[in-house]
Amino acid sequence: MHSADGTAIGYRSVGSGPGLLLVPGAFTLAADFDALAETLADRFTVHVIERRGRGASGPQGDAYSAKAECADIEAVRAATGARFVFGHSFGGFLTLEAALAGSPFERIAVYEPGVSIDGSIPIDWADRCRSELDAGKPAEAFLTFVQGVNPETSGKAPRWLLRLILPLAIKKPERLQKHALLPAALLEHAEIAARDNTFREYGQLTQPVLLMAGKEVHSTGAGRAAPSIHQILPGSQLKLYPKLDHFGPETAPAAVTTAIADFFLETPAA
């Protein structure tokens, strides 16, 4: 299928039941959400969008914007009839933006959405990161991203230490995937920065919203976004997972499945 600007957008489908669209974040392919999709497939027909710039989908394009990705989400929603949507990280940011733009999902759930509040998701690392990519040093560019995007956590670690830790913490295939997707992530984080401090606009949403966050709810920008949006969104629900990190939906999908399924299948009050 194709988005509004003609870009090909793919998606993976599994299961049966009401339609649920999953929107992965930065550095993530649709296949990385296979485990989460499988845990939900007995209750939903799960569609995982392959965001532009990945896999069989078309490129981000010269005029890349979050609005274009919102149009992609709407195109998949319209094609599948999905009633519900779940977004993670940058995918959570896009999910909220798509709903704000008018995508008529009945219910919305996001885990640590990449929403910047008072510069909580910095972009000052981008120039160095881009220079390192241009110099053919993707591993160094990824280190720059890791240090820059979360200054209160990974940003405090010295660079030499991260060089030792990252190969142990992230297996080589995953590291290579992140290196390959880093140019896309640069553009995506620029879109987050462009929407810095506009989160109060989400108060206009009328759908029920479930906001989720892990153990870094007080120490990272994406973690803090969930409770901040909860405060301005009447009727939203906030669910915290003290044992999960930012990547909980990918690495521990069973831990979040019950809350997601219960929320989407909740009977509206009369």
Side-chain angles (χ1 to χ4, degrees):
M1 59 151 292
H2 293 81
S3 189
D5 66 356
T7 301
I9 302 296
Y11 58 92
R12 301 160 71 94
S13 301
V14 64
S16 60
L20 165 58
L21 177 59
L22 305 185
V23 186
F27 300 104
T28 308
L29 304 176
D32 296 322
F33 266 39
D34 280 355
L36 179 60
E38 288 292 342
T39 65
L40 293 162
D42 61 334
R43 284 157 286 188
F44 303 92
T45 302
V46 185
H47 310 285
V48 187
I49 187 172
E50 187 75 275
R51 291 181 38 237
R52 59 174 58 206
R54 293 153 171 80
S57 291
Q60 284 182 313
D62 294 337
Y64 174 78
S65 68
K67 288 183 178 180
E69 294 231 44
C70 291
D72 301 345
I73 291 171
E74 172 56 21
V76 177
R77 185 211 62 80
T80 62
R83 296 164 51 192
F84 310 124
V85 62
F86 169 82
H88 172 229
S89 193
F90 184 71
F93 164 73
L94 292 176
T95 294
L96 294 169
E97 291 290 305
L100 196 62
S103 286
F105 293 104
E106 295 176 19
R107 286 176 173 256
I108 299 163
V110 293
Y111 185 100
E112 296 201 356
V115 174
S116 184
I117 300 170
D118 291 332
S120 60
I121 300 180
I123 195 66
D124 55 357
W125 49 270
D127 287 344
R128 177 177 178 178
C129 183
R130 190 175 293 107
S131 294
E132 288 165 338
L133 280 175
D134 291 343
K137 300 178 179 179
E140 289 298 307
F142 185 64
L143 278 175
T144 297
F145 167 81
V146 169
Q147 282 192 308
V149 77
N150 287 316
E152 296 175 44
T153 54
S154 53
K156 292 184 176 180
R159 199 171 178 93
W160 65 265
L161 182 58
L162 286 175
R163 286 195 186 99
L164 296 176
I165 291 174
L166 286 180
L168 299 175
I170 307 175
K171 294 180 180 179
K172 186 175 181 179
E174 184 180 353
R175 289 202 316 277
L176 294 178
Q177 176 176 306
K178 292 181 185 300
H179 295 170
L181 289 174
L182 190 48
L186 275 166
L187 296 178
E188 292 161 5
H189 280 76
E191 291 298 293
I192 291 175
R195 292 284 287 156
D196 179 58
N197 241 15
T198 61
F199 73 103
R200 291 180 180 83
E201 293 180 17
Y202 301 139
Q204 302 172 33
L205 298 178
T206 58
Q207 304 99 318
V209 176
L210 172 63
L211 298 149
M212 312 165 79
K215 61 186 178 182
E216 296 168 327
V217 66
H218 300 299
S219 58
T220 67
R224 290 196 295 269
S228 296
I229 297 169
H230 176 57
Q231 291 178 2
I232 58 92
L233 193 52
S236 64
Q237 300 178 33
L238 178 63
K239 178 74 173 176
L240 301 180
Y241 293 89
K243 295 183 178 181
L244 298 185
D245 64 14
H246 179 65
F247 302 99
E250 293 179 50
T251 59
V256 299
T257 295
T258 298
I260 293 172
D262 288 350
F263 172 72
F264 286 136
L265 298 178
E266 185 177 282
T267 302

PDB file of all heavy atoms in Angstrom, residues 16-17 22 25 27 34 48 54 73 94 102 122 129 140 171 196 213 240 245 258:
ATOM      1  N   SER A  16      -6.165 -12.646  15.336  1.00  0.00           N
ATOM      2  CA  SER A  16      -7.572 -12.436  14.989  1.00  0.00           C
ATOM      3  C   SER A  16      -8.238 -11.644  16.099  1.00  0.00           C
ATOM      4  O   SER A  16      -7.830 -11.691  17.258  1.00  0.00           O
ATOM      5  CB  SER A  16      -8.286 -13.778  14.800  1.00  0.00           C
ATOM      6  OG  SER A  16      -8.236 -14.542  15.996  1.00  0.00           O
ATOM      7  N   GLY A  17      -9.269 -10.899  15.713  1.00  0.00           N
ATOM      8  CA  GLY A  17      -9.969 -10.053  16.663  1.00  0.00           C
ATOM      9  C   GLY A  17      -9.939  -8.614  16.185  1.00  0.00           C
ATOM     10  O   GLY A  17      -9.558  -8.324  15.041  1.00  0.00           O
ATOM     11  N   LEU A  22       0.529  -1.441  15.776  1.00  0.00           N
ATOM     12  CA  LEU A  22       1.711  -1.188  16.587  1.00  0.00           C
ATOM     13  C   LEU A  22       2.673  -0.302  15.804  1.00  0.00           C
ATOM     14  O   LEU A  22       2.936  -0.557  14.624  1.00  0.00           O
ATOM     15  CB  LEU A  22       2.413  -2.492  16.967  1.00  0.00           C
ATOM     16  CG  LEU A  22       1.583  -3.573  17.678  1.00  0.00           C
ATOM     17  CD1 LEU A  22       2.475  -4.750  18.080  1.00  0.00           C
ATOM     18  CD2 LEU A  22       0.874  -3.006  18.902  1.00  0.00           C
ATOM     19  N   GLY A  25       9.567   2.315  17.423  1.00  0.00           N
ATOM     20  CA  GLY A  25      10.314   3.554  17.594  1.00  0.00           C
ATOM     21  C   GLY A  25      11.529   3.644  16.693  1.00  0.00           C
ATOM     22  O   GLY A  25      11.681   2.913  15.711  1.00  0.00           O
ATOM     23  N   PHE A  27      15.389   3.213  15.491  1.00  0.00           N
ATOM     24  CA  PHE A  27      16.314   2.080  15.485  1.00  0.00           C
ATOM     25  C   PHE A  27      15.598   0.726  15.432  1.00  0.00           C
ATOM     26  O   PHE A  27      16.220  -0.308  15.643  1.00  0.00           O
ATOM     27  CB  PHE A  27      17.233   2.098  16.717  1.00  0.00           C
ATOM     28  CG  PHE A  27      18.082   3.330  16.826  1.00  0.00           C
ATOM     29  CD1 PHE A  27      17.784   4.333  17.733  1.00  0.00           C
ATOM     30  CD2 PHE A  27      19.199   3.489  16.009  1.00  0.00           C
ATOM     31  CE1 PHE A  27      18.567   5.467  17.824  1.00  0.00           C
ATOM     32  CE2 PHE A  27      19.994   4.622  16.104  1.00  0.00           C
ATOM     33  CZ  PHE A  27      19.666   5.618  17.018  1.00  0.00           C
ATOM     34  N   ASP A  34       7.738  -8.533  16.684  1.00  0.00           N
ATOM     35  CA  ASP A  34       7.069  -9.826  16.474  1.00  0.00           C
ATOM     36  C   ASP A  34       6.649 -10.463  17.798  1.00  0.00           C
ATOM     37  O   ASP A  34       5.547 -11.009  17.910  1.00  0.00           O
ATOM     38  CB  ASP A  34       7.989 -10.791  15.721  1.00  0.00           C
ATOM     39  CG  ASP A  34       8.012 -10.535  14.226  1.00  0.00           C
ATOM     40  OD1 ASP A  34       7.242  -9.679  13.746  1.00  0.00           O
ATOM     41  OD2 ASP A  34       8.817 -11.189  13.538  1.00  0.00           O
ATOM     42  N   VAL A  48       1.735  -4.510  12.475  1.00  0.00           N
ATOM     43  CA  VAL A  48       2.937  -3.762  12.857  1.00  0.00           C
ATOM     44  C   VAL A  48       3.432  -2.999  11.637  1.00  0.00           C
ATOM     45  O   VAL A  48       3.825  -3.602  10.630  1.00  0.00           O
ATOM     46  CB  VAL A  48       4.041  -4.692  13.372  1.00  0.00           C
ATOM     47  CG1 VAL A  48       5.204  -3.865  13.924  1.00  0.00           C
ATOM     48  CG2 VAL A  48       3.508  -5.638  14.447  1.00  0.00           C
ATOM     49  N   ARG A  54      12.692   1.930   6.301  1.00  0.00           N
ATOM     50  CA  ARG A  54      13.018   0.614   6.839  1.00  0.00           C
ATOM     51  C   ARG A  54      12.453  -0.486   5.936  1.00  0.00           C
ATOM     52  O   ARG A  54      11.374  -0.328   5.375  1.00  0.00           O
ATOM     53  CB  ARG A  54      12.411   0.454   8.235  1.00  0.00           C
ATOM     54  CG  ARG A  54      13.022   1.366   9.279  1.00  0.00           C
ATOM     55  CD  ARG A  54      12.034   1.659  10.399  1.00  0.00           C
ATOM     56  NE  ARG A  54      12.676   2.358  11.492  1.00  0.00           N
ATOM     57  CZ  ARG A  54      12.929   3.662  11.489  1.00  0.00           C
ATOM     58  NH1 ARG A  54      12.590   4.401  10.440  1.00  0.00           N
ATOM     59  NH2 ARG A  54      13.517   4.235  12.526  1.00  0.00           N
ATOM     60  N   ILE A  73       0.733   6.285   9.151  1.00  0.00           N
ATOM     61  CA  ILE A  73      -0.076   5.612  10.170  1.00  0.00           C
ATOM     62  C   ILE A  73      -1.543   5.626   9.768  1.00  0.00           C
ATOM     63  O   ILE A  73      -2.244   4.607   9.866  1.00  0.00           O
ATOM     64  CB  ILE A  73       0.132   6.288  11.541  1.00  0.00           C
ATOM     65  CG1 ILE A  73       1.551   6.005  12.055  1.00  0.00           C
ATOM     66  CG2 ILE A  73      -0.917   5.826  12.554  1.00  0.00           C
ATOM     67  CD1 ILE A  73       1.930   6.798  13.290  1.00  0.00           C
ATOM     68  N   LEU A  94       4.826   9.627  17.458  1.00  0.00           N
ATOM     69  CA  LEU A  94       4.064   9.649  16.209  1.00  0.00           C
ATOM     70  C   LEU A  94       2.610   9.259  16.427  1.00  0.00           C
ATOM     71  O   LEU A  94       1.701   9.814  15.797  1.00  0.00           O
ATOM     72  CB  LEU A  94       4.703   8.694  15.195  1.00  0.00           C
ATOM     73  CG  LEU A  94       6.081   9.075  14.659  1.00  0.00           C
ATOM     74  CD1 LEU A  94       6.605   7.968  13.753  1.00  0.00           C
ATOM     75  CD2 LEU A  94       6.033  10.409  13.917  1.00  0.00           C
ATOM     76  N   GLY A 102      -5.955  13.766  13.648  1.00  0.00           N
ATOM     77  CA  GLY A 102      -7.295  13.322  13.290  1.00  0.00           C
ATOM     78  C   GLY A 102      -7.478  11.848  13.028  1.00  0.00           C
ATOM     79  O   GLY A 102      -8.605  11.428  12.700  1.00  0.00           O
ATOM     80  N   PRO A 122      17.281  16.039  24.207  1.00  0.00           N
ATOM     81  CA  PRO A 122      18.175  17.018  23.563  1.00  0.00           C
ATOM     82  C   PRO A 122      18.456  16.673  22.104  1.00  0.00           C
ATOM     83  O   PRO A 122      18.289  15.538  21.663  1.00  0.00           O
ATOM     84  CB  PRO A 122      19.459  16.921  24.392  1.00  0.00           C
ATOM     85  CG  PRO A 122      19.098  16.180  25.639  1.00  0.00           C
ATOM     86  CD  PRO A 122      17.953  15.281  25.263  1.00  0.00           C
ATOM     87  N   CYS A 129      27.292  13.846  15.706  1.00  0.00           N
ATOM     88  CA  CYS A 129      26.859  12.534  15.239  1.00  0.00           C
ATOM     89  C   CYS A 129      26.872  12.477  13.715  1.00  0.00           C
ATOM     90  O   CYS A 129      27.379  11.517  13.111  1.00  0.00           O
ATOM     91  CB  CYS A 129      25.465  12.236  15.779  1.00  0.00           C
ATOM     92  SG  CYS A 129      24.819  10.611  15.355  1.00  0.00           S
ATOM     93  N   GLU A 140      31.210   5.293  16.460  1.00  0.00           N
ATOM     94  CA  GLU A 140      31.442   6.513  17.229  1.00  0.00           C
ATOM     95  C   GLU A 140      30.201   7.412  17.203  1.00  0.00           C
ATOM     96  O   GLU A 140      29.848   8.042  18.203  1.00  0.00           O
ATOM     97  CB  GLU A 140      32.651   7.270  16.673  1.00  0.00           C
ATOM     98  CG  GLU A 140      33.973   6.601  16.955  1.00  0.00           C
ATOM     99  CD  GLU A 140      34.256   6.485  18.448  1.00  0.00           C
ATOM    100  OE1 GLU A 140      34.190   7.514  19.152  1.00  0.00           O
ATOM    101  OE2 GLU A 140      34.529   5.364  18.916  1.00  0.00           O
ATOM    102  N   LYS A 171      24.082  -6.967  21.277  1.00  0.00           N
ATOM    103  CA  LYS A 171      24.694  -7.950  20.391  1.00  0.00           C
ATOM    104  C   LYS A 171      24.991  -7.329  19.025  1.00  0.00           C
ATOM    105  O   LYS A 171      24.333  -6.386  18.597  1.00  0.00           O
ATOM    106  CB  LYS A 171      23.791  -9.166  20.246  1.00  0.00           C
ATOM    107  CG  LYS A 171      23.622  -9.955  21.538  1.00  0.00           C
ATOM    108  CD  LYS A 171      22.713 -11.151  21.356  1.00  0.00           C
ATOM    109  CE  LYS A 171      22.558 -11.927  22.647  1.00  0.00           C
ATOM    110  NZ  LYS A 171      21.650 -13.096  22.503  1.00  0.00           N
ATOM    111  N   ASP A 196       9.225  20.432  20.580  1.00  0.00           N
ATOM    112  CA  ASP A 196       9.523  20.577  22.004  1.00  0.00           C
ATOM    113  C   ASP A 196       8.507  21.495  22.681  1.00  0.00           C
ATOM    114  O   ASP A 196       8.148  22.554  22.167  1.00  0.00           O
ATOM    115  CB  ASP A 196      10.931  21.155  22.171  1.00  0.00           C
ATOM    116  CG  ASP A 196      11.309  21.350  23.631  1.00  0.00           C
ATOM    117  OD1 ASP A 196      11.289  20.358  24.385  1.00  0.00           O
ATOM    118  OD2 ASP A 196      11.614  22.496  24.022  1.00  0.00           O
ATOM    119  N   ALA A 213       5.263   3.734  31.425  1.00  0.00           N
ATOM    120  CA  ALA A 213       6.675   4.073  31.574  1.00  0.00           C
ATOM    121  C   ALA A 213       7.357   3.039  32.453  1.00  0.00           C
ATOM    122  O   ALA A 213       6.719   2.401  33.300  1.00  0.00           O
ATOM    123  CB  ALA A 213       6.849   5.464  32.164  1.00  0.00           C
ATOM    124  N   LEU A 240       2.926   2.240  35.524  1.00  0.00           N
ATOM    125  CA  LEU A 240       4.369   2.236  35.669  1.00  0.00           C
ATOM    126  C   LEU A 240       4.898   0.812  35.857  1.00  0.00           C
ATOM    127  O   LEU A 240       4.239  -0.016  36.500  1.00  0.00           O
ATOM    128  CB  LEU A 240       4.786   3.101  36.862  1.00  0.00           C
ATOM    129  CG  LEU A 240       4.351   4.574  36.804  1.00  0.00           C
ATOM    130  CD1 LEU A 240       4.825   5.312  38.045  1.00  0.00           C
ATOM    131  CD2 LEU A 240       4.855   5.253  35.539  1.00  0.00           C
ATOM    132  N   ASP A 245      12.980  -1.428  31.524  1.00  0.00           N
ATOM    133  CA  ASP A 245      13.663  -0.251  31.013  1.00  0.00           C
ATOM    134  C   ASP A 245      12.896   0.307  29.809  1.00  0.00           C
ATOM    135  O   ASP A 245      11.755  -0.110  29.536  1.00  0.00           O
ATOM    136  CB  ASP A 245      15.122  -0.567  30.670  1.00  0.00           C
ATOM    137  CG  ASP A 245      15.278  -1.590  29.551  1.00  0.00           C
ATOM    138  OD1 ASP A 245      14.291  -1.881  28.839  1.00  0.00           O
ATOM    139  OD2 ASP A 245      16.397  -2.114  29.384  1.00  0.00           O
ATOM    140  N   THR A 258      -0.801  -7.653  29.268  1.00  0.00           N
ATOM    141  CA  THR A 258      -2.070  -7.675  30.006  1.00  0.00           C
ATOM    142  C   THR A 258      -2.668  -6.281  30.102  1.00  0.00           C
ATOM    143  O   THR A 258      -3.870  -6.088  29.840  1.00  0.00           O
ATOM    144  CB  THR A 258      -1.874  -8.264  31.414  1.00  0.00           C
ATOM    145  OG1 THR A 258      -1.429  -9.616  31.290  1.00  0.00           O
ATOM    146  CG2 THR A 258      -3.176  -8.241  32.194  1.00  0.00           C
TER     147      THR A 258
END
